[in-house]
Amino acid sequence: MATITIMDPVTRIEGHLKVEVTIDQNRVTDAKCTGTLFRGFEKILAGRHPWDAPILTQRICGVCPISHGLAASMALDNASGRSVPDNGRILRNLTLGSNYVQSHILHFYLLSLLDYVAGPQTSPWTPAYNVDMRFPASNPTYPIMDHFVQAVAARRRAHEMGALLSGRMPITAAIISGGHTVVPNAAMITKFRTQLNLLLDFIRNIYIPDSIALSQIYSDYFNIGGGWKNLLAYGVFDLNASGTDKLFHRGCVENATKGNPNNVFLNQITESVTHSWYADATNNLTPRSGDTQPVYPKTNGYSWLKAPRHQGKPFETGALARMWVTGDYQNGVSVMDRHLARAQETLKVAEAMLTWLDQLTMGAPSYEQNNLLSDGEGIGLTEAPRGALGHWVKIAGGTIAHYQVITPTCWNASPQDDKNVRGPIEQALVGTPVMDPTQPIEVLRVIHSFDPCLSCAVHVMRPKEEPMVLEVPAVTC
Ligand code: NFE
């Protein structure tokens, strides 16, 4: 007899996700992903000064704020026709690269590994499911728990590198429309290079071997969690001023097709709200004309996430999609392929950062001054660590008239669309074997392989209590 298991909240992700799976004869037969909070940043931005967008949208999430600051800045660059000097482009890449490295290390060691290794029976490793833990925790020749602790230090190092170039992390005021506010100097670059080399040691000698060891011990997970196998990337890390050359390319593939990817058609990206708590009048709009009109409760609605589609189809985004579209990794689409592609991407980005450091020009500007924008429209497309990220802005009379954000997790954790087609994580869960429905560790492994961040996808909540008024006392100096 089929049983329904509800995981609410799913832990060791960012933000609030509820997943409901139907399990029949020890196999998942249906799945529903629910984003349980309303984000509302599109509403917050309306009427604000355009230059507020890179600052405010970074508050969407503390894990990938750099990507939001960059996407907002790129949208404003695009709207104003502003160009970014080479130093600005490279500093943006280095800041984002630092954020990628910290995010991927965080994901593998702190958010995912404990699905495979029984950690010490103490907080923060407990409570936890305790089935099918094949990765030995205390093997003297392979001290995975030592690596876990080293990963915390490595992640801090990556944050410190970002802070060297862009001020306090994780959220920075340094990435703005027109470039980057920092003028590089030799001391800064030397310190950054020293930290990066230490980080590269960790990635090459610890993270990559750990990801390979995991994939060998759990090789069955190359056949679990594939889903639709449609992959999409906007591309990221501009290598020239026009952005036509990128470290990771733009493109998409269907059913894990190898070879040259297809084009991404921006006017064929739409968001279905049939199963989302938004007004049906806004169904299947492109983000250029999309709207954020909450309707709760709603018949057939089960998530605060909309359902983004390209040419009407669901697409997975993330490190595997980037690596696949660029031709760096085309082994397959599965739980273990996501982990391996993410680890290999971390190395590729860190190695590229070393070369970018050499391309900075001391004393050259990082920012192009330009007139204040009063009317215009722009799109900022980049890649956050978790995948394709887009910001769409319209400006009228000097303020933001319209703003829409589609995050990677909105693509990945989307609910069903108007044709009742499941989102990527939902589909990846179908067919997953579950040994013990009371401890569905296999379900958790599939979900975690996408590295979901529901903070990015949904954010603002209204507590039941009365509004709280905070008075900030005057400061006398
Ligand atoms: Ni909150 Fe984010 C990333 C973005 S995921 S972490 O990476 O954009 O939706």
Side-chain angles (χ1 to χ4, degrees):
M1 196 181 76
T3 58
I4 292 183
T5 299
I6 297 176
M7 305 172 91
D8 182 17
V10 175
T11 53
R12 280 188 279 113
I13 64 164
E14 294 94 1
H16 301 263
L17 171 68
K18 169 183 155 190
V19 171
E20 186 181 305
V21 286
T22 307
I23 300 171
D24 193 3
Q25 296 182 0
N26 293 90
R27 209 161 273 278
V28 175
T29 55
D30 195 10
K32 279 199 168 77
C33 288
T34 297
T36 57
L37 294 176
F38 173 60
R39 186 182 63 201
F41 265 76
E42 288 86 352
K43 295 290 188 200
I44 293 168
L45 285 163
R48 313 275 316 201
H49 192 289
W51 289 357
D52 285 349
I55 304 299
L56 291 185
T57 56
Q58 288 189 65
R59 271 69 185 175
I60 287 175
C61 175
V63 184
C64 65
I66 308 304
S67 307
H68 285 287
L70 181 58
S73 298
M74 290 172 79
L76 298 180
D77 294 344
N78 182 235
S80 61
R82 245 176 171 168
S83 58
V84 174
D86 277 345
N87 265 6
R89 172 180 59 79
I90 296 164
L91 285 166
R92 284 179 173 187
N93 283 351
L94 288 166
T95 310
L96 181 62
S98 305
N99 186 255
Y100 262 58
V101 173
Q102 73 78 19
S103 183
H104 287 356
I105 292 173
L106 163 76
H107 174 257
F108 185 79
Y109 286 95
L110 282 80
L111 304 180
S112 295
L113 198 58
L114 298 181
D115 293 341
Y116 304 93
V117 184
Q121 293 306 295
T122 176
S123 176
W125 292 280
T126 57
Y129 294 147
N130 196 11
V131 284
D132 189 31
M133 295 290 157
R134 288 177 237 163
F135 205 132
S138 54
N139 181 343
T141 59
Y142 210 91
I144 191 69
M145 278 296 125
D146 288 358
H147 296 175
F148 181 98
V149 174
Q150 288 173 42
V152 176
R155 181 180 181 232
R156 185 188 65 194
R157 196 182 296 288
H159 263 324
E160 286 173 357
M161 284 161 45
L164 268 171
L165 301 186
S166 298
R168 186 184 66 84
M169 285 288 137
I171 291 168
T172 176
I175 294 179
I176 54 171
S177 175
H180 196 283
T181 59
V182 167
V183 177
N185 63 55
M188 180 190 280
I189 292 171
T190 304
K191 207 164 174 188
F192 191 97
R193 193 190 308 280
T194 306
Q195 299 273 45
L196 180 54
N197 277 318
L198 290 167
L199 208 43
L200 270 162
D201 282 347
F202 175 83
I203 297 166
R204 286 192 187 114
N205 301 320
I206 308 276
Y207 181 14
I208 296 276
D210 283 352
S211 68
I212 293 170
L214 182 74
S215 73
Q216 288 169 345
I217 296 170
Y218 286 89
S219 58
D220 43 332
Y221 277 81
F222 282 109
N223 296 311
I224 294 174
W228 297 118
K229 304 191 180 185
N230 297 342
L231 306 167
L232 179 143
Y234 293 148
V236 66
F237 296 117
D238 289 357
L239 302 178
N240 61 4
S242 62
T244 50
D245 190 13
K246 296 179 192 293
L247 187 69
F248 294 103
H249 305 161
R250 180 171 302 173
C252 62
V253 298
E254 292 181 25
N255 198 24
T257 305
K258 298 184 183 177
N260 288 339
N262 300 321
N263 290 332
V264 174
F265 296 100
L266 296 186
N267 59 0
Q268 293 179 41
I269 292 174
T270 52
E271 289 189 291
S272 169
V273 297
T274 302
H275 295 279
S276 311
W277 289 309
Y278 297 96
D280 283 330
T282 65
N283 212 354
N284 291 329
L285 296 177
T286 66
R288 191 165 165 245
S289 56
D291 203 355
T292 305
Q293 287 182 34
V295 174
Y296 179 88
K298 181 180 135 179
T299 308
N300 295 327
Y302 67 91
S303 181
W304 282 110
L305 274 68
K306 295 180 184 177
R309 298 291 185 257
H310 178 244
Q311 298 184 317
K313 295 173 196 147
F315 279 83
E316 169 180 345
T317 75
L320 176 59
R322 282 189 290 270
M323 294 286 278
W324 194 290
V325 164
T326 308
D328 293 319
Y329 185 103
Q330 297 189 340
N331 179 61
V333 178
S334 68
V335 168
M336 278 307 139
D337 287 304
R338 289 187 194 100
H339 284 298
L340 286 179
R342 200 175 280 113
Q344 291 174 26
E345 173 180 90
T346 311
L347 181 60
K348 175 168 170 160
V349 170
E351 286 178 340
M353 286 162 76
L354 265 188
T355 68
W356 296 334
L357 277 179
D358 294 332
Q359 294 164 10
L360 285 167
T361 308
M362 294 314 115
S366 308
Y367 167 74
E368 180 181 289
Q369 183 80 37
N370 211 330
N371 292 334
L372 199 62
L373 187 67
S374 70
D375 292 282
E377 185 175 345
I379 305 176
L381 298 178
T382 184
E383 290 278 328
R386 283 153 198 77
L389 171 66
H391 284 209
W392 283 257
V393 65
K394 286 182 192 164
I395 298 157
T399 61
I400 294 173
H402 178 262
Y403 211 96
Q404 286 288 298
V405 175
I406 302 183
T407 62
T409 295
C410 211
W411 283 97
N412 290 338
S414 83
Q416 294 174 23
D417 57 27
D418 53 314
K419 298 191 274 303
N420 300 330
V421 172
R422 295 186 190 96
I425 295 180
E426 293 180 334
Q427 185 64 21
L429 285 166
V430 173
T432 300
V434 180
M435 247 188 296
D436 174 1
T438 66
Q439 294 200 75
I441 187 75
E442 302 88 345
V443 170
L444 207 50
R445 288 171 182 158
V446 173
I447 298 168
H448 282 160
S449 71
F450 285 86
D451 192 7
C453 174
L454 275 290
S455 302
C456 274
V458 290
H459 205 68
V460 177
M461 66 184 286
R462 179 186 289 245
K464 286 202 183 99
E465 296 83 30
E466 286 300 302
M468 193 164 41
V469 178
L470 297 175
E471 269 187 42
V472 181
V475 177
T476 41
C477 307

